[in-house]
Amino acid sequence: MTIKRAAAYTRFSSDNQRDESIDAQNRAIEAYCKQNGYELVMTYEDRAKTATSDKRPGFQQMIGDSGKGLFSFIIVHKLDRFSRDKHDSVHYKRILKKNKVRLLSVLENLDDSPESIMMESMYEGMAAYYSLNLAREVMKGLKETAYQCKHTGGLPPIGYSVDPVTKRYVINEDERGIVETVFSMFLAGYGYNQIIRELADKGYKSRYGRPISKGTLYTILSNEKYTGTYIFNLTDSKDAEGKRNSNRKKDDEDVIRVEGGMPAVITKADFEQVQVYLSTENPAT
């Protein structure tokens, strides 16, 4: 009798931070294996990782191991645990097929029939719809927060804190000097290295306790928020391949910009002059 060796893959999303979700998936997969004669030889998992991206360490290790003959089946609790991106799903299923590994679902009983192929496509479409619709609803809530000039998450820019009651930006007096020093020295013609040394001499460090870097200087110098303009949705967080690129600006109609929506640290005139310098061919280095 041929031993049906299988690997389990479990995952929960960053919008569903529950370790017990992993445990429940594992129990369901173990029960499925006992009922259907599979020997569970490997287990892979990703915690707080979305299936809209393939940047999941457990998932990638499993895909790599699929070509080593360790198992002939991968079992998931639901197909959306494997992927919620239809392009990724097709791509990685093709790799599994090449490696003679079959993907199985505990809750979706699919075989090789034409009907099952159609149903699997429907499941994948529903999973993709769920992710896109969720992203749309989340963005709707973030935009409403932004129209109120409130913090929408993440670390505030250097020089600002978030009021715990109003959730609006307030000036961080411990960091304000960093911003003022950077702008004033840059406008006076000092280069990045000179500014960094001056900040170090004044005892300023990054929020992680490290010296201020050139990258941080550029981020400060190019951030319009320091003029008191609240800005949200300025750049695309990810491209079509899921790669982050903070330099990719969105169209103006997609950007929320509220003049006077937060306290100013520098003048608009100084900011605009800095942008002129930054746009030159050889800005200060």
Side-chain angles (χ1 to χ4, degrees), residues 16-246:
N16 183 24
Q17 302 270 345
R18 296 199 305 268
D19 280 346
E20 57 266 30
S21 175
I22 292 281
D23 297 334
Q25 291 174 56
N26 279 323
R27 283 193 296 270
I29 292 172
E30 289 168 3
Y32 178 89
C33 287
K34 290 180 180 178
Q35 293 170 5
N36 295 278
Y38 294 98
E39 180 185 358
L40 194 58
V41 296
M42 302 288 289
T43 298
Y44 303 89
E45 63 181 42
D46 284 304
R47 297 173 183 268
K49 296 291 183 181
T50 175
T52 58
S53 168
D54 61 354
K55 304 299 187 294
R56 293 172 270 154
F59 181 84
Q60 289 297 336
Q61 183 182 348
M62 175 184 70
I63 295 299
D65 289 347
S66 70
K68 299 177 181 179
L70 302 175
F71 46 82
S72 300
F73 302 89
I74 291 174
I75 304 175
V76 294
H77 186 233
K78 288 182 65 178
L79 290 174
D80 64 5
R81 300 300 88 189
F82 184 79
S83 178
R84 277 186 173 155
D85 182 282
K86 61 182 180 180
H87 301 293
D88 282 349
S89 181
V90 170
H91 172 69
Y92 287 107
K93 284 178 182 177
R94 184 177 292 117
I95 293 176
L96 295 183
K97 185 176 181 180
K98 178 182 177 181
N99 293 337
K100 294 182 172 53
V101 174
R102 182 178 172 187
L103 178 65
L104 302 174
S105 167
V106 172
L107 296 183
E108 295 125 345
N109 187 20
L110 301 172
D111 52 33
D112 293 326
S113 67
E115 292 78 12
S116 287
I117 293 175
M118 181 181 68
M119 289 300 298
E120 185 171 359
S121 296
M122 289 179 60
Y123 288 136
E124 290 174 347
M126 290 170 62
Y129 166 79
Y130 171 83
S131 293
L132 290 173
N133 186 59
L134 177 62
R136 180 173 59 187
E137 292 303 310
V138 169
M139 178 56 73
K140 187 187 301 182
L142 289 174
K143 284 185 175 181
E144 183 58 34
T145 299
Y147 282 122
Q148 299 175 46
C149 298
K150 294 181 178 180
H151 184 54
T152 56
L155 284 175
I158 288 177
Y160 291 107
S161 299
V162 177
D163 186 286
V165 177
T166 66
K167 305 301 181 184
R168 293 170 69 99
Y169 287 107
V170 294
I171 290 179
N172 183 326
E173 295 298 340
D174 292 332
E175 297 177 348
R176 180 175 191 158
I178 298 176
V179 179
E180 292 175 335
T181 299
V182 170
F183 274 93
S184 63
M185 290 188 66
F186 188 82
L187 286 169
Y190 290 96
Y192 283 7
N193 290 329
Q194 292 169 298
I195 298 173
I196 288 172
R197 285 195 295 270
E198 179 66 17
L199 292 172
D201 289 343
K202 290 184 175 182
Y204 289 124
K205 294 183 179 180
S206 74
R207 288 174 176 165
Y208 301 101
R210 296 191 290 266
I212 303 294
S213 67
K214 289 184 179 180
T216 299
L217 292 187
Y218 181 82
T219 298
I220 291 173
L221 291 168
S222 58
N223 193 338
E224 189 181 351
K225 288 181 178 178
Y226 292 119
T227 67
T229 302
Y230 180 98
I231 302 172
F232 173 75
N233 207 34
L234 182 63
T235 61
D236 283 325
S237 58
K238 295 180 182 179
D239 60 18
E241 296 181 350
K243 296 180 180 178
R244 295 187 178 277
N245 184 355
S246 60

Side-chain angles (χ1 to χ4, degrees), residues 223-285:
N223 193 338
E224 189 181 351
K225 288 181 178 178
Y226 292 119
T227 67
T229 302
Y230 180 98
I231 302 172
F232 173 75
N233 207 34
L234 182 63
T235 61
D236 283 325
S237 58
K238 295 180 182 179
D239 60 18
E241 296 181 350
K243 296 180 180 178
R244 295 187 178 277
N245 184 355
S246 60
N247 295 322
R248 190 174 51 254
K249 301 293 180 65
K250 289 191 174 182
D251 296 333
D252 287 342
E253 59 266 26
D254 296 324
V255 180
I256 294 175
R257 180 179 271 104
V258 182
E259 296 292 338
M262 56 195 298
V265 180
I266 63 166
T267 67
K268 286 187 177 293
D270 283 350
F271 179 79
E272 291 169 0
Q273 186 62 56
V274 165
Q275 304 320 296
V276 172
Y277 292 158
L278 290 177
S279 66
T280 58
E281 198 168 321
N282 294 301
T285 56

